[in-house]
Amino acid sequence: MAKRLTMMILRNILIVPFSLFQLFWYAKSTKVSEEKKYKLIRRIGHYGCKSGNVTVHGYGLENLPTESGYIMYPNHQGLFDVMGLVYLNPTPFGVVIKKEAYNVFLLRQLVQTLGGLFMDRNDVKQGLQVINEVAKQVKEGRNFLIFPEGTRSKNGNKLGEFKSGSFKAATKAKCPIVPIAIIDSYLPFDTNSIRQVDVQLHVLPPIPYEEYQGMKTTEIADLVKERIEKVIAENEHNFNK
């Protein structure tokens, strides 16, 4: 991560100080609108990708619901995932991320600016509170991003186990589930390289509540994982050969 992040910063050295000032300010402010905060994050992502030799290829954008109040469930490959999804999706969203990320410089401010939530995977009570809060906000019309694997797979494009508990937020909110297949997103920040890389983000057709309402969360997790795995298998060799 250090090499590519350093390159991004150096290539944008003239705008980095003010952008960081804005990011830290927006992360703590309750007066700045969600749309304005999201616009800042997208601008930072745009400059970061361009200067960091990262090309994001988005597919299936027409599958994103036109009405807010949905949850995106992508596989989790690396530290670039959130930036890539912000780069892709023009509509603001919050993110649920593990508590340990709170101590990662810039990532904490990024999540806070997005209006995200930190989850302690070792605290069942706190985890349930986060799930309930997500469901509440989604019912009110916010969009959210939840990584069902809970942590980075660390196995490239091979998926880890999808935790069924992560889908309780969707069942409580009775909202559309949007599966997203992420390919090669571990390359930008989770490898020690600054070479040109291509990241693919495939938005799959949403699963409406009516389709999964009678299913157990374990069955929903298996369904979403299966659909994402299929898309990855069909597309993982498109770039970065």
Side-chain angles (χ1 to χ4, degrees):
M1 176 180 181
K3 281 186 177 181
R4 195 178 301 269
L5 183 59
T6 299
M7 180 173 68
M8 288 177 175
I9 292 173
L10 291 177
R11 287 182 172 179
N12 294 286
I13 195 65
L14 295 179
I15 64 172
V16 165
F18 183 65
S19 294
L20 287 178
F21 171 78
Q22 279 189 299
L23 181 63
F24 278 73
W25 174 34
Y26 284 9
K28 296 180 180 180
S29 176
T30 57
K31 297 181 179 179
V32 181
S33 69
E34 182 179 27
E35 289 72 21
K36 192 171 183 179
K37 290 181 178 183
Y38 194 69
K39 186 177 180 180
L40 170 66
I41 299 298
R42 292 201 84 197
R43 186 169 73 246
I44 291 173
H46 173 78
Y47 283 119
C49 290
K50 186 176 181 180
S51 61
N53 294 342
V54 182
T55 301
V56 179
H57 303 270
Y59 305 93
L61 302 186
E62 68 278 4
N63 290 322
L64 288 170
T66 55
E67 185 176 341
S68 291
Y70 58 84
I71 301 178
M72 297 176 286
Y73 285 93
N75 54 306
H76 194 11
Q77 293 194 345
L79 296 171
F80 183 79
D81 293 347
V82 175
M83 180 184 286
L85 288 163
V86 168
Y87 185 94
L88 174 74
N89 193 344
T91 307
F93 63 84
V95 59
V96 175
I97 202 161
K98 62 183 180 180
K99 185 188 70 172
E100 291 81 356
Y102 186 85
N103 297 317
V104 178
F105 179 64
L106 292 183
L107 184 56
R108 175 173 75 249
Q109 288 75 26
L110 170 65
V111 173
Q112 290 175 328
T113 302
L114 287 172
L117 302 168
F118 294 91
M119 177 182 283
D120 186 346
R121 295 174 296 174
N122 298 316
D123 187 333
V124 176
K125 183 178 179 180
Q126 191 268 354
L128 182 58
Q129 290 174 341
V130 169
I131 291 297
N132 288 336
E133 180 60 25
V134 170
K136 174 179 176 292
Q137 292 190 31
V138 171
K139 284 182 179 179
E140 294 172 351
R142 283 202 79 205
N143 305 316
F144 258 88
L145 166 68
I146 298 178
F147 293 109
E149 289 163 290
T151 188
R152 289 173 285 165
S153 66
K154 298 183 181 180
N155 286 307
N157 292 316
K158 185 176 180 181
L159 273 59
E161 176 191 357
F162 275 30
K163 309 293 193 301
S164 61
S166 64
F167 292 91
K168 289 182 180 179
T171 58
K172 286 178 179 289
K174 299 181 180 181
C175 68
I177 288 173
V178 184
I180 299 179
I182 296 180
I183 301 175
D184 291 336
S185 187
Y186 64 95
L187 293 174
F189 289 153
D190 292 75
T191 59
N192 191 29
S193 171
I194 57 173
R195 68 182 178 87
Q196 170 66 41
V197 294
D198 294 86
V199 174
Q200 300 179 60
L201 303 174
H202 296 259
V203 181
L204 283 59
I207 306 172
Y209 176 68
E210 293 72 23
E211 185 176 335
Y212 69 82
Q213 63 178 330
M215 300 171 64
K216 298 178 181 177
T217 52
T218 53
E219 295 173 326
I220 300 172
D222 290 341
L223 174 65
V224 174
K225 181 180 180 181
E226 180 182 320
R227 293 187 181 183
I228 290 175
E229 281 183 321
K230 182 176 184 295
V231 172
I232 291 176
E234 293 171 347
N235 296 279
E236 64 178 321
H237 300 299
N238 290 348
F239 303 96
N240 304 312
K241 296 180 180 178

